[in-house]
Amino acid sequence: MPEPEPAQDARGGTPRAQHFRRPASLLFEPPEAEADAEHFFDLESIEDPKELLGRATDLTLAFRSAADRAMEFQAVAAAQLADPKRFDRLSEAAIAERGEWTEDYARKMIEFGRELLADKGAAE
């Protein structure tokens, strides 16, 4: 059965609350797993395909959610670093270099971060 698509807000994006859901808990890999290239969150040991699909899906959703949250934190940090009120403000080029982005992408991340900060300020 396919996963339902999240509802869209008036701007066509996903609702803000959607971005802040707590992801499924991830099991951390034990140090000995790093030596085994085939080992991945113990998925290789699951023999039941239904259980394997369920756990693999949980991990996929958790990683996507974690990546979305991490990107939002990147954007907030970029916006804070570019804040003209900071005496140690960084240029878009410097932020791009630190984030390993292009300047155009850094500009977009700064703007996205400003939007997130404005939304956070309005919510408080």
Side-chain angles (χ1 to χ4, degrees):
M1 186 160 135
E3 291 291 321
E5 292 293 322
Q8 293 190 340
D9 66 10
R11 296 178 306 194
T14 57
R16 179 68 45 208
Q18 183 79 15
H19 291 281
F20 294 106
R21 283 187 317 187
R22 184 177 196 102
S25 60
L26 296 175
L27 302 175
F28 291 96
E29 295 278 72
E32 58 271 9
E34 293 177 15
D36 182 5
E38 294 296 316
H39 185 84
F40 187 72
F41 289 90
D42 211 27
L43 292 179
E44 71 286 345
S45 68
I46 299 174
E47 294 185 18
D48 177 15
K50 291 177 187 175
E51 184 181 347
L52 177 60
L53 179 60
R55 180 65 181 143
T57 301
D58 288 346
L59 284 169
T60 300
L61 296 173
F63 283 128
R64 283 181 190 156
S65 181
D68 288 346
R69 287 293 310 272
M71 184 182 62
E72 289 176 352
F73 279 102
Q74 283 182 308
V76 167
Q80 290 171 333
L81 290 170
D83 187 345
K85 293 180 258 179
R86 289 178 61 109
F87 76 93
D88 60 346
R89 174 184 179 200
L90 294 180
S91 67
E92 291 175 354
I95 294 169
E97 185 177 334
R98 284 180 181 237
E100 298 181 14
W101 304 324
T102 64
E103 281 190 54
D104 186 49
Y105 188 76
R107 199 172 303 114
K108 291 175 183 178
M109 287 295 278
I110 291 166
E111 182 58 36
F112 179 48
R114 287 179 177 151
E115 290 173 14
L116 290 172
L117 288 169
D119 288 350
K120 181 180 176 185
E124 289 178 352

